[in-house]
Amino acid sequence: MLVDDKYFLGVDVGSVSTNMVLLRPDNTVKEALYLRTQGRPMQIIQEGIKLLRSKIGKSAEIMGVGATGSARQLAATLLGADVVKNEITAHAVAASRVNPQVQTILEIGGQDSKIIILRDGVVSDFAMNTVCAAGTGSFLDQQASRLGIKIEEFGPLALEAKNPVRIAGRCSVFAESDMIHKQQLGHSLPDILAGLCQAMVRNYLNNVGKNKDIKGPIFFQGGVAANPGICKAFEEELGQPIIVPENYDVMGALGAAYLAQEKVGSRPGTRTRFRGLDLGETRFLAKSFDCTGCANRCEVVEITQDGRSLARWGDRCGKWSVAGVADTAISGLEQKEEQRGA
Amino acid sequence: MRIGFPRALYYFDHFPFWAGFFHRLGIEVVTSPATHRQIMEQGLKKASDETCLPLKLLAGHIQALKDVDWIFLPRIVSVEADTYTCPKFLGIPESLLPAVPPGMPVLTVTLNWRKGKRQVLKDLEGLGVQLGKSSSDVRKALNEGLEWQKRYQDSMGAGWDFEESIREIGRAAKDLTESAKVPTLVTWKERMFAKMSSTALKRTAEFPIVDQNRDRLRIALVGHSYLTHESYANLNLLRKLREKAKVELVQNVNQEEVKTNLFGLRKKLFWSHSKQIFGAGNKFVADQSVDGIIYLTCFGCGTDSMVQELVSRKAREQHKPYMVVTLDEHSGEAGLVTRLEAFLDMVERRRVHEGYVSTYGECLDRNSNAL
C-alpha cells in the first residue's frame, strides 16, 4: 500500500477558480478539487491543502508540486513548488497526456481565453485574449445572474433553443444591451441564451482563434467547457466534434502535476521542496508597501509565514524581489536586509 | 544655452545626430531622465487620447525637462529617399504643444532628407539664425552630426547595446570644454576583440568559429526602436528576453540586408521604420538560426497594423514561431511574462521536437512534453 500513498500535486490558481489535482505515480487522478478563488488566493490554497489532507490521510507523501495559473508565483511561494509553469504549457501538457493525438485546445477560463495549436504533441502556436474579457466565464456568470438563472442551468437551457437570436458579440457591453433589447421584444430565454453562446464563440474564433489552423481532435477545457450550450455552438461553428475531457475544469492543475512528476520523477534522488501538508495550519500574511527608492513607486508585495519572510515581488528594479522560494531565498533576503541596515 | 531633448520617439534613432550637431555649435543638450511612472502619467494626461503610446510618452518627457532654455521638437518628415516617417512624426510639434509647460519656448525645424542634404542644410541654417549661429557654423555642425550618427550606426552589431552607446554619446555631448570631438564609439567587433585575451584570439584563428551559444535560443525582437528600447513601457521585455535567449534586433540588421529582403510586396512601403521592420522581419523569418520572432507593437500604431500582418504571414508560411505583443499604458507584467514564458517554452519544445541537436537528453523523450 505504500506505493498508493505517494502523489504529485498540481495547483492552478486562476482569477476565478483554484484547482488542485493529486496524481498517482501511475498517472491516474486520485483527487481533483475545484474551488472558487473568491479574491483570496492565499486562504483558498490553504483550505485546499486542508481538504486534500483530510482525504488522503497523514501518512500520504507528496513527491512533487507544480504550480500554474495567474497566481502561480504566489502559489509556488506558499507551497514550495518544484515547477512553476505558465498556463499554456500546463494545459498543453495535460491535454497531450490525456490524448496524444490532440491538435487543438480551446480553453476558456474565468478571465482569459486561449487557443493552443499542437502538432505531434508539441505546441506549435498559441494565442491569448488581449484586453477584452467579452468571451470568458466571468461574463457568462454575470449574464446568468442578471437573468436570474444559475450558471449550471445556463447550458441546458440554451440547448432547448429553437431559434437562437443574433447577438453582437464583439463587446460584452454591447452584447448585454443587445440581449436586453431582444428580451424586451419577447424572445424566449433559451433563444437568447443560445444566441449569447453563439456570439461568444464567434467572438472567440475571431479574436483568439484568428489565423489559427484548427484541426481535430479538438479539446475544450477550462471552466466554461461545463456549458453544453457553448460546446454546441463551437461544434456548429467549426463543423467538427468537440471533446470535453474528463477533468476539463482542472486541466491546468493536472498539467502542473505532470510537470512536477517529470521534474522530480526523472531525477532519482531529488527531493521535493514542498513545505508539507500541515501548511494549512500556519499563518501566511501578505503585506504591500510603496518603495520610495525612485520615481516609479513600485508596489512591493511581501509574503510572510509565521512572521518569516518568504518572498517579495512587484518591483521593477529587483531591489526587493527574490527569485525562487526555497530556503536560499530567505537567507538571501536576510542578507539584503543586513546590507541595507549597514 | 541649454536645449532640452526629450528622451522619446526619435531619440532612439537620431539622438547621436542632434547631439553632434549641437555639440559643434557649443550648445548644451539636456535629455529627460529615463521613463518612470510619473513621466508616463504626465504623458497620458497631456497627450491626445487617440494617439499611440510612444507619442504619449513623448508628451510626458517634454514635461520632465527642467532648467532648459528651449525644448527641441523637430519635425522629421523623412530620413532617406523614397520614404516618409510615420504620419504622427509629421504632426510634431503642433500635436504636442499642449504638453509643453506654459511659457517654455519650443525650438523646431522641419527636416526632409528625401529632398537632399542641400535642402536640409538650408533648413538647419534657418534654425541657426534663431540660435545666432552663422551658416558656416551650421554646415560644420551638420557634418559633425552626420559623423556622430554614422559612428553610432556602425557600432550596431551583434553585441551592440543601446543604453551603453547612447550613454557614451550623452557624455560626449555634455563635454563642451574639450574641442569638438567625435565620441569614440568602438564597433562591436573591436569591443569583442578587446575583451578577448590573445590566447583566445589564437584559438578562434585555429578553429573555425562554431557558435558556442547554439544551445541558447535565438529570438528576434521586431518592432520600433522606441518600443523595443523603451524599457519602462515594454516592462523590461528586452532584459527579460536576454536572460533566457540570445536576442536579435531590427537595429542589428544593416541597410543592405534590409534592402535585399524587401521582396513579396506589390508596392513600396511608405514609411522608413516600417521598411526597416519588414526587411529585418523577412530576414529573421528566412534565417534558420533564428528560433522565433516576437513582434512588439502598441495600440494605436497605424503602420504596424499593416506591417505586423505582413510579417506574420511570412512567418506562418515558413512555420516560424511567431508572437505579437501589444503594449498599452496599463500593461500588466503578469500577462507579458505568461506570454513570454509560453512562447519560449513553445520554441524550445519545437526545436527539440524538430530534431535539432540538444544537450537536454531527457527532452528527447517523445512521450514527455516537458522541458
Side-chain angles (χ1 to χ4, degrees):
Chain A
M1 289 309 281
L2 258 175
V3 182
D4 280 352
D5 249 7
K6 293 189 171 173
Y7 305 102
F8 292 97
L9 173 65
V11 180
D12 177 358
V13 187
S15 54
V16 172
S17 74
T18 296
N19 311 325
M20 296 189 179
V21 164
L22 277 180
L23 191 71
R24 293 196 190 92
D26 64 353
N27 285 346
T28 53
V29 175
K30 156 81 179 163
E31 216 44 81
L33 285 185
Y34 182 95
L35 307 166
R36 291 251 163 183
T37 308
Q38 296 170 323
R40 298 177 289 129
M42 292 170 73
Q43 284 96 313
I44 300 297
I45 290 169
Q46 284 186 293
E47 274 172 34
I49 293 292
K50 271 188 214 166
L51 255 168
L52 284 181
R53 198 167 93 162
S54 67
K55 284 184 177 169
I56 57 174
K58 276 196 176 142
S59 60
E61 191 192 341
I62 301 291
M63 293 166 71
V65 181
T68 185
S70 48
R72 57 184 179 277
Q73 204 183 3
L74 183 73
T77 305
L78 259 55
L79 297 165
D82 303 294
V83 189
V84 189
K85 269 279 176 228
N86 59 82
E87 303 93 288
I88 289 164
T89 307
H91 276 281
V93 166
S96 65
R97 281 297 189 89
V98 172
N99 180 353
Q101 261 78 51
V102 118
Q103 298 215 71
T104 307
I105 301 168
L106 316 171
E107 201 270 343
I108 306 187
Q111 289 277 315
D112 67 3
S113 52
K114 34 191 161 313
I115 188 168
I116 307 170
I117 305 293
L118 294 144
R119 294 290 179 263
D120 304 319
V122 179
V123 179
S124 81
D125 201 358
F126 69 86
M128 283 171 87
N129 60 337
T130 45
V131 280
C132 179
T136 58
S138 295
F139 176 56
L140 288 182
D141 250 356
Q142 192 194 329
Q143 290 313 315
S145 72
R146 196 182 64 79
L147 294 167
I149 54 169
K150 282 197 188 126
I151 189 71
E152 292 81 13
E153 296 166 4
F154 190 115
L157 262 174
L159 289 182
E160 290 169 17
K162 301 218 167 50
N163 289 308
V165 296
R166 197 159 175 88
I167 288 169
R170 177 66 64 197
C171 163
S172 60
V173 178
F174 290 129
E176 183 169 336
S177 55
D178 225 18
M179 276 167 64
I180 293 173
H181 183 62
K182 292 278 150 70
Q183 149 204 323
Q184 305 300 63
L185 285 176
H187 288 277
S188 75
L189 185 60
D191 285 350
I192 293 174
L193 292 178
L196 181 63
C197 290
Q198 287 178 354
M200 211 177 116
V201 164
R202 262 200 319 275
N203 184 36
Y204 174 90
L205 292 174
N206 285 339
N207 283 323
V208 185
K210 190 175 76 178
N211 291 332
K212 298 284 180 272
D213 191 13
I214 300 175
K215 283 186 185 166
I218 305 171
F219 263 28
F220 182 21
Q221 49 200 50
V224 174
N227 187 325
I230 301 279
C231 293
K232 190 177 164 220
F234 263 124
E235 285 188 334
E236 281 170 2
E237 196 73 29
L238 293 170
Q240 294 185 66
I242 303 287
I243 306 163
V244 178
E246 189 190 348
N247 292 304
Y248 64 90
D249 53 345
V250 294
M251 287 298 263
L254 183 61
Y258 279 127
L259 286 165
Q261 185 193 40
E262 275 164 28
K263 176 86 183 280
V264 180
S266 65
R267 295 186 198 114
T270 40
R271 287 207 34 176
T272 178
R273 290 148 87 177
F274 183 51
R275 310 168 72 87
L277 281 167
D278 51 0
L279 65 85
E281 266 75 62
T282 61
R283 245 169 71 83
F284 287 106
L285 262 181
K287 276 193 307 193
S288 69
F289 60 91
D290 276 11
C291 171
T292 52
C294 75
N296 282 334
R297 303 283 150 136
C298 299
E299 289 153 20
V300 184
V301 176
E302 182 182 37
I303 309 290
T304 56
Q305 179 186 18
D306 295 333
R308 238 168 23 119
S309 174
L310 286 182
R312 292 196 195 108
W313 56 71
D315 52 339
R316 274 169 179 267
C317 65
K319 174 175 156 189
W320 299 98
S321 35
V322 183
V325 290
D327 297 341
T328 50
I330 298 163
S331 62
L333 250 180
E334 280 159 6
Q335 230 169 21
K336 271 194 178 175
E337 238 140 26
E338 273 166 28
Q339 279 167 359
R340 262 194 305 279
Chain B
M1 207 186 299
R2 289 154 67 91
I3 284 187
F5 198 101
R7 194 190 166 91
L9 220 61
Y10 32 63
Y11 172 88
F12 294 93
D13 289 320
H14 301 126
F15 179 65
F17 171 78
W18 293 111
F21 179 80
F22 288 119
H23 185 261
R24 182 68 193 219
L25 291 178
I27 296 170
E28 193 185 339
V29 176
V30 180
T31 52
S32 49
T35 312
H36 52 69
R37 191 153 130 184
Q38 211 188 338
I39 288 182
M40 172 98 90
E41 280 168 8
Q42 291 291 331
L44 297 179
K45 264 185 220 158
K46 292 286 183 179
S48 153
D49 193 37
E50 263 145 52
T51 192
C52 58
L53 181 65
L55 232 64
K56 291 178 183 174
L57 286 173
L58 177 56
H61 278 278
I62 288 172
Q63 296 164 80
L65 284 165
K66 298 278 180 300
D67 303 325
V68 294
D69 302 309
W70 275 300
I71 288 177
F72 185 55
L73 295 173
R75 188 201 315 275
I76 314 281
V77 178
S78 62
V79 293
E80 58 183 352
D82 297 333
T83 60
Y84 285 103
T85 56
C86 160
K88 282 174 186 151
F89 278 54
L90 306 191
I92 299 168
E94 286 83 355
S95 62
L96 285 157
L97 290 181
V100 178
M104 175 68 78
V106 171
L107 192 65
T108 186
V109 61
T110 302
L111 288 196
N112 201 347
W113 283 93
R114 55 184 289 159
K115 288 189 176 164
K117 192 178 165 185
R118 185 170 301 191
Q119 181 61 42
V120 169
L121 179 61
K122 228 172 123 186
D123 292 330
L124 285 174
E125 278 169 358
L127 178 72
V129 172
Q130 288 184 59
L131 297 167
K133 302 289 173 187
S134 72
S135 300
S136 75
D137 284 344
V138 171
R139 194 177 321 118
K140 280 178 202 147
L142 170 62
N143 288 330
E144 181 95 16
L146 288 173
E147 178 69 19
W148 283 34
Q149 185 72 23
K150 188 177 175 305
R151 278 276 186 150
Y152 170 71
Q153 270 162 354
D154 287 349
S155 75
M156 293 178 192
W160 175 71
D161 183 68
F162 169 76
E163 299 289 341
E164 195 182 310
S165 32
I166 211 83
R167 250 198 311 274
E168 280 174 52
I169 288 162
R171 229 175 284 140
K174 274 233 169 86
D175 191 5
L176 289 173
T177 52
E178 215 179 325
S179 61
K181 201 176 137 200
V182 179
T184 48
L185 271 180
V186 282
T187 66
W188 66 277
K189 263 187 191 150
E190 286 165 3
R191 248 200 327 261
M192 290 238 305
F193 281 106
K195 275 181 193 165
M196 278 190 223
S197 67
S198 56
T199 50
L201 267 178
K202 223 180 275 167
R203 215 178 300 138
T204 49
E206 279 168 22
F207 301 102
I209 298 172
V210 187
D211 194 347
Q212 289 161 334
N213 289 328
R214 191 60 198 102
D215 285 340
R216 291 196 80 193
L217 292 175
R218 266 167 91 101
I219 303 292
L221 181 63
V222 178
H224 296 284
S225 54
Y226 45 79
L227 289 176
T228 53
H229 289 122
E230 173 49 76
S231 58
Y232 182 84
N234 71 24
L235 305 159
N236 265 327
L237 177 63
L238 189 55
R239 203 186 73 197
K240 285 187 182 118
L241 208 51
R242 278 198 171 131
E243 280 167 10
K244 299 193 172 128
K246 216 165 163 306
V247 182
E248 297 280 338
L249 291 166
V250 172
Q251 286 79 13
N252 300 145
V253 182
N254 64 37
Q255 286 300 321
E256 282 74 51
E257 275 183 292
V258 166
K259 241 176 242 163
T260 57
N261 280 293
L262 286 173
F263 47 77
L265 290 176
R266 293 165 79 190
K267 268 176 128 179
K268 279 181 189 166
L269 280 167
F270 302 125
W271 313 289
S272 38
H273 250 195
S274 300
K275 202 176 100 184
Q276 178 88 14
I277 289 171
F278 182 72
N282 259 350
K283 178 195 171 275
F284 293 139
V285 168
D287 187 345
Q288 290 296 323
S289 70
V290 172
D291 297 299
I293 297 171
I294 296 176
Y295 196 113
L296 183 68
T297 179
C298 59
F299 279 106
C301 183
T303 62
D304 272 358
S305 67
M306 274 169 263
V307 177
Q308 188 275 115
E309 189 62 35
L310 289 173
V311 177
S312 85
R313 285 184 189 182
K314 294 273 178 188
R316 229 177 301 138
E317 276 168 25
Q318 302 295 320
H319 303 287
K320 182 78 82 181
Y322 179 85
M323 177 172 75
V324 188
V325 173
T326 310
L327 294 176
D328 73 347
E329 58 262 28
H330 328 283
S331 304
E333 198 159 356
L336 180 77
V337 169
T338 299
R339 283 170 177 81
L340 198 60
E341 280 180 11
F343 184 75
L344 293 175
D345 266 5
M346 173 178 88
V347 172
E348 178 83 50
R349 281 154 193 249
R350 271 178 68 165
R351 188 163 89 167
V352 170
H353 182 73
E354 281 158 17
Y356 287 93
V357 182
S358 166
T359 53
Y360 305 101
E362 61 217 84
C363 283
L364 294 172
D365 176 10
R366 279 284 297 275
N367 296 325
S368 118
N369 198 20
L371 287 176

